[in-house]
Amino acid sequence: MTDQPQHAADHADQRTDRDLPRPKAPPPCTFATLVDREQERAALSSLVRGTRAGGAAIALLEGPVGSGKSRLLRSLTAEARLNGIRVLEARCDALERDFPFGAVRRLFEPLLASADPQQRARLLSGNARAARQALGSEALHGSMMDLAEDVSFAVLHGLYWFTSHLAEQGPLVIAVDDAHCADLASLRFLVHLARRLEGLPVLLAVSQRTGDRATGAALLDDLAAQPLCRVIRPRPLTHDGIAELVQEVLGRTSDEAFHAACLAATGGNPFLVHALLAALRLHGEPPTVESLERISAHDSSLFAEPMLRVLRQQPPAAMAAARAMAVLGDGSPAESCARLAGLDVATLVPALRTLGSLGLLTGTEDGRTWSFNHGIVREVILADMPSAERAESHRRAARLLLDDGARAEQVAAHLLMTELPATGEWAVTVLREAAREASFRSAPALAVDLLRHCLPDEVDPAADAALLVELGLAEAAVDTHASVRHLQLALEHVHEPLPRFFVLSSLSSGLVRSGQAAQAVRLLAEQTPTVRDATGDLSRLLEGQRLLAAYEDLPSYRDILGESSFGLELPGHTPGERGLLAARAGVVVVRGDRAAEAAAAAGRVLRRGESAADSPFFLASAATVLLYADRPDEADAAYRRIMGSADQDHSTLSYSVCSGLRSEAAYRLGALPEALDATRTALDLAPPGTSGMAQLLPASTRIHVLLEYGDLAGAEAVAAQRFAKAAADTWRWNEYLAARGRLRLAQGEPEAALADLLECGRRQVQWARTSPAVSSWWVWAARAHLALGNGGRARALAEEAVFRARRGDLPYALGAGLSLLAQTETGAKAGAKAGAEAGARRLALLEEALAMLEDSPARLELTRVLIAQGSALHESGRTEAAREVLRRGLESAYALGARVLRAQAHHALLATGARPRRPMSSGLASLTPSEAQVARLAADGRTNQEISEALFVTQRTVEQHLTSVYRKLGSSGRRRLRSLLDGATDSEPA
């Protein structure tokens, strides 16, 4: 990639310590004057004014080639500078389309290069630290096991925070021209930023060419769909506009007949109108209809043929310079162009100035750096070159750049335009280095393309083992089957412990992702002993991975269950001990008989784990052990740490998995909005090619949450999505069946619900997921039985759950089981005495359930029990006590946003003769878990930005939470928060 010219600062004399140098506007383009654009400019001006006032906005300028998008974008940036707004701009280059974050670096690198060390440190602090991976050469942290995954989410979020830090210093315009030529990573960042732009004084202005389906078209469509986005499509020129251009280009007036003919020939496209007028000037023709008839008006040649004709009439040096410029790209130094063109600089610079006088190029005042005025100029010149000559020019350009010390990716961009496979040791070396950089910059597809250019036609596994390993690791995130094939070829020839570990780890993961989990388990069982490291830690990691792989194949999992007792005595001092401990604890906790021991083991893993050394999948497994050990608050905190660590670059896959699991923890805590957000994140980030397995858990939790909101239509839409057949062979399908069964129960279909729920229970036994804390299927199955009049079967499910919960020390599952057992205590048909006894037993069970949940963070289940207890008290004739308990239940349901439970509590209160008023949640107990967390951080003196970075939410979300906290606590600001929170009692937990 070539760097654009750096520009000096506007108003440099006003620079403060917080300001960074602001780029100067580029020289004006000599192509078509901006005419007939008053409406478009007015729209852009209003966006600039809004940004200056602190608002956020997005402008997408789109239209066919030559419609004036780039000129409008330049007018926007010029106006922004006049208004004192910092402008960062980048023009995308098709040559760099395959290289990740090329456009992002064009935006931000000049600014960082001119910043002092303190300014750089401030901009890249906190969560913005991950942006270093896109803006510099910082490598990934963490286990090499994760290199094959798409690691871009943390980088994208880091770039968002980098932008946020910039916006703190004042309004900001980010202008990206020719986005249809941008690399996918940069486009993903623009969309990522656009979705979170609200609340930042930032105007994101992007131009794209229509007519060609760009590689990133879906991302640009996503950008256009954002609520803040204003799509501006430049209109065709009018007759008056054409007349103005005629006067500028030909210095003459013209009549209406010519204007109409010109409009018909060009469609009012400014670029084509200008090209047509330039052709008339070239041939000395007047602006008449007759002259137009003598000029080709075909779109394919309207500009290309006249331009090439003009070029061929220039001295040979001009054509050679034009071709060298086209190969090297915008911003190329004159010295490089001269060497590629076979000219000396003294000859080249006048040739470039000649091209500039023709309106094709613009150069700096010293003539050392040049750029094309329009991307189509470069396209025409490249298309005119014979393919063999073009490929040879790119090969020579690559060598010249290498000799000049260019970055590997700049050199490789040209090598990709040459023959395959690459010839020459220097070329292979550069391509492999560029592939490593691509992997670090979240571009596995590019890394694969680069490495495949290195692979000889006849592969020798022994001689090419190292290359096969690099290629197989890169292919893991792009082409699983090819990855497996290449790693299998290399495995026999990789003997050193660490490389062999990487190959086995990635190969087994690839087998699992391609639906061959049983083969992965066998591979690891056979090959783990061949990894003979001195400490045995690599072998422990592979053994842990074998357990995780077995959990994806029922026969393999059943075999593993009979192997050992899964001891949990490892101290967890090394990554291998922690990985194996997390995997074993995961197997143990789902059975429920050693939940406390498994939770203790998971706690050691999480306390001693290091984001730079431990796989996030092992850490997430440990957090899930806490979730299944009935400790959702601890699990939620662990998931947050895994996802939010500033020192770890997480993969999109691991972030998606953690978000899905965390949504379940948030749901159990009653944090319904957070649970819904987490499911949305998990579903948005779920990678393709996983047979729907990555979507099953968040989709299931989303159904449960929507049902708490009473949104049957929303839950039905989630349940209706199609999953691959292979997804039904996994344990995750159990949770989907449980959610769908509950939905069918809510739809008034108890028979269909029971069928789903009992099938879920049967499968849970198969998978040894028998702990009542793992899934709530048994709760809804019992309720379906009750709806069908099968009280005995409902009671049997409740009694088994209570038994297992007591044995496993699972307090929240025990509370839910006792509450369910109470529902089976009717006795209404057995007479008054039996009914009274049943009522007493019911109250006793509910009192015990309430005792288990009263001080717990599981507020959703607590609310259910409160409503059930209030109803039972009312049935027993204790009306006042019933009203008191039901009011608590109503307040709690209102605070949680659980609309269905709120309606139940409201109706139950009405049944007691009370007239419930609208709940007014107040006091510490009314704070949601997220509000309490934000309040604590604010009371500790954290700023809104620090809180948002710590919790991985936007500053706007923090502001909304604080507003709610102040209202509920009757506080006017942060000063009173500390004393209010310090005054929390056990009955009012913050």
Side-chain angles (χ1 to χ4, degrees):
M1 186 189 77
T2 54
D3 294 326
Q4 288 184 313
Q6 295 187 16
H7 309 292
D10 288 343
H11 313 296
D13 55 329
Q14 300 177 12
R15 175 174 175 175
T16 68
D17 180 60
R18 288 176 58 82
D19 289 331
L20 291 171
R22 302 173 188 270
K24 187 164 53 177
C29 179
T30 58
F31 269 137
T33 301
L34 195 60
V35 299
D36 268 355
R37 293 291 178 258
E38 292 78 14
Q39 182 176 328
E40 292 86 347
R41 294 187 69 176
L44 295 175
S45 293
S46 68
L47 297 180
V48 170
R49 291 193 298 273
T51 301
R52 185 182 183 185
I58 304 168
L60 179 61
L61 295 144
E62 62 177 25
V65 60
S67 58
K69 308 177 296 297
S70 297
R71 291 299 311 279
L72 281 169
L73 193 62
R74 283 196 289 273
S75 75
L76 180 151
T77 57
E79 182 173 350
R81 288 187 174 93
L82 288 175
N83 280 274
I85 299 175
R86 173 180 288 125
V87 175
L88 302 178
E89 53 191 335
R91 179 175 167 185
C92 303
D93 189 334
L95 184 64
E96 301 167 358
R97 181 179 285 154
D98 290 332
F99 287 82
F101 297 112
V104 165
R105 293 203 294 278
R106 283 181 178 268
L107 283 171
F108 296 139
E109 278 188 344
L111 180 142
L112 285 174
S114 60
D116 60 41
Q118 291 76 21
Q119 291 168 332
R120 285 175 62 90
R122 186 162 56 245
L123 289 173
L124 292 167
S125 63
N127 287 335
R129 185 182 181 279
R132 296 173 186 264
Q133 190 174 323
L135 301 175
S137 58
E138 180 170 300
L140 290 176
H141 298 292
S143 170
M144 280 290 292
M145 292 169 63
D146 307 315
L147 285 185
E149 306 294 349
D150 177 2
V151 296
S152 61
F153 184 82
V155 181
L156 295 178
H157 216 55
L159 288 167
Y160 162 76
W161 283 110
F162 177 86
T163 306
S164 179
H165 292 170
L166 270 177
E168 283 184 352
Q169 301 175 359
L172 176 68
V173 167
I174 295 176
V176 180
D177 197 11
D178 290 342
H180 53 278
C181 292
D183 60 278
L184 288 177
S186 293
L187 288 178
R188 289 181 65 193
F189 161 64
L190 295 179
V191 173
H192 187 87
L193 175 64
R195 290 174 174 171
R196 296 158 177 79
L197 202 60
E198 190 171 356
L200 297 179
V202 175
L203 168 55
L204 175 61
V206 177
S207 77
Q208 71 151 332
R209 180 195 302 177
T210 57
D212 301 326
R213 190 65 178 171
T215 304
L219 291 168
L220 290 168
D221 291 345
D222 195 343
L223 186 69
Q226 297 305 310
L228 289 176
C229 187
R230 175 90 176 263
V231 179
I232 298 174
R233 300 179 178 92
R235 299 162 299 153
L237 293 178
T238 63
H239 285 208
D240 290 343
I242 292 174
E244 188 175 340
L245 281 181
V246 170
Q247 183 65 45
E248 177 193 333
V249 176
L250 301 179
R252 305 175 60 168
T253 59
S254 50
D255 59 24
E256 284 297 315
F258 176 80
H259 301 159
C262 190
L263 186 61
T266 64
N269 183 292
F271 193 83
L272 296 180
V273 170
H274 192 281
L276 189 58
L277 296 177
L280 290 175
R281 184 177 62 181
L282 176 67
H283 292 284
E285 296 280 357
T288 64
V289 174
E290 293 75 16
S291 298
L292 285 182
E293 294 174 354
R294 293 189 287 271
I295 299 293
S296 170
H298 298 294
D299 288 350
S300 61
S301 59
L302 184 62
F303 174 70
E305 289 183 6
M307 191 198 81
L308 291 172
R309 192 179 305 119
V310 169
L311 275 176
R312 289 167 185 147
Q313 292 174 356
Q314 307 307 313
M319 178 60 86
R323 288 184 168 181
M325 270 289 304
V327 169
L328 286 169
D330 285 344
S332 301
E335 293 83 355
S336 299
C337 291
R339 291 164 62 194
L340 183 60
L343 305 171
D344 56 46
V345 175
T347 304
L348 179 87
V349 172
L352 293 175
R353 293 194 188 281
T354 298
L355 298 174
S357 69
L358 297 173
L360 304 179
L361 300 179
T362 298
T364 54
E365 292 182 5
D366 59 8
R368 296 180 63 84
T369 306
W370 294 80
S371 298
F372 287 103
N373 284 330
H374 201 290
I376 197 172
V377 177
R378 183 183 180 203
E379 293 174 18
V380 168
I381 294 172
L382 286 172
D384 184 58
M385 296 175 68
S387 58
E389 179 184 344
R390 188 168 59 246
E392 175 59 19
S393 295
H394 279 294
R395 189 198 66 78
R396 291 179 53 228
R399 185 70 210 202
L400 288 173
L401 290 171
L402 178 65
D403 293 342
D404 287 342
R407 289 191 298 225
E409 66 177 41
Q410 294 175 268
V411 180
H414 291 280
L415 289 174
L416 288 179
M417 311 295 287
T418 63
E419 72 279 359
L420 188 156
T423 56
E425 185 177 345
W426 69 269
V428 172
T429 300
V430 167
L431 288 168
R432 291 176 71 175
E433 182 180 346
R436 284 189 287 272
E437 290 183 5
S439 294
F440 290 147
R441 294 186 189 278
S442 314
L446 173 60
V448 168
D449 195 14
L450 292 163
L451 291 169
R452 285 177 178 172
H453 269 70
C454 301
L455 205 62
D457 292 330
E458 296 294 332
V459 178
D460 180 351
D464 300 320
L467 178 58
L468 286 169
V469 169
E470 290 179 30
L471 178 57
L473 291 175
E475 286 172 328
V478 178
D479 186 343
T480 301
H481 293 288
S483 172
V484 168
R485 184 173 65 254
H486 288 136
L487 292 176
Q488 284 175 332
L489 281 175
L491 180 60
E492 181 183 349
H493 307 283
V494 178
H495 306 292
E496 291 298 316
L498 190 59
R500 189 168 180 82
F501 161 77
F502 291 148
V503 172
L504 283 170
S505 176
S506 185
L507 178 54
S508 62
S509 295
L511 288 169
V512 170
R513 286 197 301 274
S514 61
Q516 303 176 76
Q519 291 90 319
V521 174
R522 285 198 299 270
L523 172 76
L524 291 171
E526 295 168 0
Q527 297 297 328
T528 294
T530 68
V531 180
R532 301 183 180 89
D533 62 310
T535 64
D537 215 43
L538 297 179
S539 297
R540 283 188 283 270
L541 282 171
L542 291 175
E543 175 60 18
Q545 195 168 352
R546 185 172 75 98
L547 293 180
L548 295 185
Y551 217 35
E552 303 300 329
D553 177 70
L554 182 57
S556 299
Y557 186 60
R558 300 293 298 181
D559 290 342
I560 277 186
L561 288 178
E563 286 184 3
S564 69
S565 59
F566 297 98
L568 302 177
E569 66 282 351
L570 289 171
H573 292 311
T574 66
E577 288 183 352
R578 292 190 289 271
L580 183 54
L581 198 57
R584 286 179 175 175
V587 174
V588 167
V589 74
V590 295
R591 294 185 290 188
D593 51 352
R594 296 163 58 194
E597 186 184 356
R604 293 201 300 277
V605 171
L606 292 166
R607 284 194 307 275
R608 296 170 182 172
E610 301 173 9
S611 60
D614 293 89
S615 165
F617 295 104
F618 282 136
L619 295 176
S621 295
T624 305
V625 170
L626 295 177
L627 179 66
Y628 290 164
D630 239 2
R631 305 182 186 190
D633 51 339
E634 296 178 34
D636 182 65
Y639 289 133
R640 285 180 180 272
R641 286 196 302 273
I642 296 166
M643 290 159 44
S645 172
D647 296 323
Q648 169 94 21
D649 292 327
H650 301 294
S651 75
T652 298
L653 178 59
S654 64
Y655 194 92
S656 171
V657 169
C658 280
S659 294
L661 292 168
R662 188 189 155 251
S663 69
E664 175 68 18
Y667 169 62
R668 296 187 186 197
L669 292 170
L672 301 182
E674 289 80 359
L676 207 59
D677 286 345
T679 62
R680 184 181 300 111
T681 298
L683 293 170
D684 286 346
L685 293 177
T690 54
S691 304
M693 288 186 286
Q695 292 97 328
L696 277 173
L697 288 183
S700 303
T701 303
R702 191 170 182 84
I703 292 172
H704 285 294
V705 176
L706 291 170
L707 289 175
E708 299 294 349
Y709 280 124
D711 185 359
L712 274 178
E716 289 167 356
V718 177
Q721 64 182 299
R722 295 183 179 276
F723 299 101
K725 185 178 180 181
D729 296 329
T730 71
W731 60 268
R732 298 170 187 83
W733 189 254
N734 306 3
E735 301 308 320
Y736 174 73
L737 287 173
R740 192 175 69 181
R742 180 185 177 186
L743 170 61
R744 288 176 168 174
L745 187 61
Q747 292 169 324
E749 302 175 17
E751 295 91 347
L754 191 59
D756 271 349
L757 293 161
L758 293 181
E759 173 62 11
C760 172
R762 184 189 69 80
R763 290 169 58 99
Q764 292 287 72
V765 173
Q766 279 189 317
W767 285 93
R769 294 171 61 85
T770 52
S771 168
V774 168
S775 171
S776 61
W777 75 268
W778 50 275
V779 173
W780 309 110
R783 292 191 180 187
H785 275 309
L786 289 172
L788 293 169
N790 301 326
R793 293 177 182 176
R795 185 175 185 83
L797 283 172
E799 287 176 341
E800 182 179 3
V802 168
F803 170 76
R804 290 183 178 275
R806 289 192 195 279
R807 186 181 64 178
D809 190 20
L810 303 169
Y812 310 150
L814 178 57
L818 290 167
S819 177
L820 181 62
L821 193 58
Q823 291 181 51
T824 68
E825 291 285 355
T826 56
K829 297 181 180 180
K833 182 178 179 182
E837 291 174 351
R841 289 195 300 272
R842 184 180 180 191
L843 279 174
L845 288 168
L846 288 170
E847 286 174 5
E848 185 182 359
L850 188 61
M852 299 303 302
L853 297 168
E854 186 72 73
D855 297 327
S856 81
R859 297 178 65 183
L860 191 64
E861 194 58 44
L862 172 63
T863 305
R864 293 189 209 282
V865 172
L866 286 170
I867 297 171
Q869 186 187 40
S871 298
L873 287 168
H874 177 233
E875 290 178 9
S876 68
R878 297 164 62 182
T879 303
E880 287 303 319
R883 289 175 178 172
E884 181 181 350
V885 174
L886 287 170
R887 286 193 182 98
R888 279 189 63 197
L890 180 64
E891 290 286 349
S892 179
Y894 177 77
L896 296 176
R899 299 186 190 116
V900 172
L901 289 178
R902 178 183 169 190
Q904 291 175 4
H906 186 269
H907 290 313
L909 267 172
L910 287 176
T912 67
R915 294 184 178 181
R917 293 174 293 181
R918 177 183 175 87
M920 296 295 292
S921 296
S922 61
L924 292 166
S926 69
L927 299 183
T928 68
S930 294
E931 289 171 348
Q933 195 168 24
V934 168
R936 284 289 185 194
L937 292 171
D940 289 340
R942 303 277 193 98
T943 65
N944 286 4
Q945 179 183 319
E946 290 171 340
I947 296 171
S948 65
E949 290 190 11
L951 301 182
F952 251 60
V953 296
T954 65
Q955 292 190 51
R956 187 176 185 84
T957 298
V958 173
E959 292 166 1
Q960 291 172 340
H961 280 323
L962 283 176
T963 299
S964 180
V965 167
Y966 297 151
R967 176 181 58 79
K968 291 180 178 180
L969 299 186
S971 173
S972 59
R974 294 174 185 249
R975 291 185 177 182
R976 289 195 60 208
L977 277 182
R978 168 66 70 177
S979 59
L980 288 169
L981 294 175
D982 285 346
T985 65
D986 291 339
S987 61
E988 282 191 325

